[in-house]
Amino acid sequence: MTAAIDLPDALAAAPRLSVDAEDVVAGRLPIVQAEAAVRLGPVMRIDIPFGPDAGPCIHLVAPELAEDALLTRRESFSSEGGWAPLLGSGFGYAVLNVDEPLHAEHRRMIVPAFAGPALQRCLPGVLAVVDAELDRWADAGTLDLFPAMRRLTFRAVACGAGGMSADEADRAFAAVSVVLDGYDFMREGREAFLARANVARSAFLDVLADIVARRRAGEGRGDGTMADLVVAALPPDGGPRDPAVPFLAILLIAGHDTGMVMYSRALHHLGTHSALGVRLLRELADAGATADRPLSPEALDRLPFLDRYMLEIGRVFPPIVNIPRTAGDDVDIGGFRVGRGTRIAVAVGGVHRRADLHRDPHRFDPDRYADPAGARLARPFRNLTFSGGARHCLGARLAQIEFKSIVSRALLRFRIEPIDAVPVAHGGFWVGRPSRPMVVSLRTR
Ligand code: HEM
């Protein structure tokens, strides 16, 4: 093998393309990545046009390169470095934003909360949140799906999976919303936002510290929820913050800020493409579902079109558009050397739009997964919606249950119609965001 040192430096020698802030907001980045990958090769330089990490970035736009970065040679690609500009250090470090060997340790600790009996135990709580939030939507009549879905997904993970009370979840939610959705780089100075965000972040961590203290004092459900596992596995260490607090913070963020993007888009897309809704409703009706008698997660898993709809929403509108990394060492990849510390984007959206991997890639077509050749498209590293390998999303199964339950329950209850015909792009450099409000009217069927 050629030593990394002998290869051309990717920042200087890889094909260079440019996107500006408006391209990113309008969702053009994955298309630029995909077309360049097919034409020029899968390693390219596209600089980040705005934000705390504005500047040079190397993009990896191929399933094999994603596998390399996320699995085979993951020690050389730092998640801590990748997430640092996006999450800051204020929330602390847990699973998502730590490197090996700590990452493997954290994963082992928390994985029981997302599997088998613990997952089953949390589902009634998650579904109760979904139904309660849909009741609120029915009363509202018209709403912006994106913030409404943030509230739903936060409550689902906090109360359902995390075992928090509604009051605890509300206090945490009020604080975290400011940090996660408060920065509009087009309208607000970064300094002004940071000052506001710092206050809100501290408030969020204080709420979590209070919850952890109560669990340690024996208050709470104590039935193997995320909060219970974290608190049991991380005894107090005498430091100023209980070590369970950052862990809960990261899990709550990872567990709702992604799902809200995908589920709100799924409902909005049904509003603008009513034929898809008709097919889904027919499939649900054939399986015996009604608004009063929605299907269980197991029954929803037996509906092929709903499954393909979910795959296609994830392909075209991935909540994590690029998985953030930095080069942990000088690393050779795709015939280039990427110098230690260089920013790296594992291009989820770009891989999903490559014309040599996906027929007619910019067309929304759930039926592409119907034949055996199409089923290959959903394989790990070709489909990167939930990442892959050692970093595969821990909450993927919970997220799939949420997706199917929210889409089916909302569709059975409401006629969903956007209030205007202006398209809403799927923008964002790292994390997907709608380019404008997704306001819909909901009329009870
Ligand atoms: C539609 C919903 C979701 C999507 C699209 C999604 C996507 C992803 C992606 C792409 C990653 C990899 C990030 C990286 O390697 O840097 C990830 C990691 C992770 N996700 Fe999710 N996620 C979703 C929902 C959830 C939920 C509901 C939870 C649970 C509370 C969750 C917990 C996590 C955790 C803990 C990690 C870190 C795993 C690790 O590094 O080992 N996610 N997710």
Side-chain angles (χ1 to χ4, degrees):
M1 185 198 269
T2 319
I5 200 129
D6 299 332
L7 295 169
D9 179 359
L11 285 179
R16 188 165 178 177
L17 296 110
S18 70
V19 295
D20 60 23
E22 281 182 19
D23 291 326
V24 172
V25 172
R28 287 190 281 272
L29 175 59
I31 297 169
V32 171
Q33 289 170 325
E35 287 175 1
V38 174
R39 229 167 7 98
L40 306 168
V43 179
M44 64 199 69
R45 173 175 173 175
I46 305 176
D47 290 355
I48 305 162
F50 58 81
D53 54 348
C57 183
I58 296 300
H59 297 238
L60 310 179
V61 196
E64 318 76 73
L65 300 186
E67 184 166 0
D68 225 9
L70 300 169
L71 178 64
T72 326
R73 291 191 297 158
R74 63 185 180 282
E75 280 85 359
S76 301
F77 296 84
S78 171
S79 296
E80 182 176 337
W83 282 101
L86 311 176
L87 289 172
S89 57
F91 288 116
Y93 298 91
V95 221
L96 175 74
N97 58 346
V98 297
D99 293 328
E100 304 301 348
L102 189 57
H103 167 254
E105 204 182 296
H106 280 184
R107 229 179 131 101
R108 260 197 309 278
M109 184 176 102
I110 192 67
V111 86
F114 296 101
L119 182 64
Q120 287 306 322
R121 264 199 309 272
C122 86
L123 289 183
V126 171
L127 297 179
V129 168
V130 172
D131 286 336
E133 293 301 303
L134 294 187
D135 287 345
R136 280 171 56 97
W137 294 10
D139 293 340
T142 299
L143 84 171
D144 182 351
L145 282 169
F146 193 65
M149 199 63 85
R150 183 187 284 292
R151 190 185 133 97
L152 186 159
T153 53
F154 188 88
R155 286 188 142 229
V157 72
C159 302
M164 292 184 192
S165 68
D167 174 57
E168 289 170 337
D170 282 349
R171 284 192 293 137
F173 179 70
V176 82
S177 304
V178 176
V179 189
L180 295 176
D181 251 356
Y183 182 36
D184 178 345
F185 71 94
M186 295 286 206
R187 296 195 184 87
E188 184 181 27
R190 184 141 184 92
E191 292 311 314
F193 167 69
L194 286 179
R196 268 192 322 121
N198 276 336
V199 175
R201 187 185 296 109
S202 301
F204 177 56
L205 295 174
D206 287 346
V207 175
L208 298 187
D210 183 40
I211 293 166
V212 167
R214 289 171 50 195
R215 295 293 182 280
R216 294 223 188 271
E219 289 175 44
R221 291 201 326 196
D223 58 0
T225 62
M226 242 164 46
D228 298 325
L229 275 173
V230 169
V231 167
L234 292 166
D237 58 5
R241 274 261 182 243
D242 190 300
V245 169
F247 219 103
L248 271 187
I250 298 289
L251 284 174
L252 288 173
I253 293 169
H256 91 284
D257 193 76
T258 42
M260 62 186 274
V261 178
M262 197 161 150
Y263 319 149
S264 56
R265 174 62 65 170
L267 294 185
H268 189 260
H269 199 75
L270 288 177
T272 50
H273 298 76
S274 51
L276 291 168
V278 170
R279 280 183 72 182
L280 283 174
L281 274 174
R282 198 179 311 130
E283 189 174 62
L284 287 163
D286 288 349
T290 62
D292 298 331
R293 222 161 18 95
L295 296 183
S296 66
E298 294 74 29
L300 289 172
D301 272 343
R302 292 192 287 272
L303 305 185
F305 190 65
L306 180 58
D307 206 51
R308 290 173 201 147
Y309 184 66
M310 181 178 71
L311 282 171
E312 189 66 345
I313 287 282
R315 184 184 76 84
V316 178
F317 309 105
I320 305 223
V321 180
N322 289 291
I323 297 176
R325 293 288 184 268
T326 52
D329 308 308
D330 280 2
V331 53
D332 66 297
I333 188 137
F336 295 96
R337 175 171 62 85
V338 180
R340 185 183 168 82
T342 305
R343 198 108 184 87
I344 294 173
V346 181
V348 175
V351 169
H352 288 181
R353 297 294 192 107
R354 279 184 59 149
D356 54 346
L357 299 176
H358 304 275
R359 170 179 37 87
D360 204 356
H362 309 313
R363 207 168 97 88
F364 187 93
D365 177 16
D367 291 325
R368 69 175 70 243
Y369 307 99
D371 59 62
R376 280 203 300 273
L377 300 175
R379 282 190 186 163
F381 303 110
R382 278 192 169 212
N383 183 312
L384 286 162
T385 307
F386 291 100
S387 182
R391 291 276 179 175
H392 186 255
C393 171
L394 269 171
R397 177 69 189 132
L398 174 59
Q400 286 160 359
I401 292 171
E402 284 182 351
F403 181 100
K404 292 180 180 182
S405 303
I406 293 168
V407 168
S408 60
R409 286 170 196 230
L411 198 56
L412 288 164
R413 287 184 66 168
F414 304 122
R415 286 177 207 285
I416 306 169
E417 279 170 22
I419 53 140
D420 62 38
V422 183
V424 182
H426 182 66
F429 196 99
W430 301 109
V431 182
R433 288 287 183 259
S435 60
R436 55 192 296 276
M438 296 202 286
V439 184
V440 293
S441 77
L442 299 171
R443 280 184 294 128
T444 304
R445 285 187 192 277

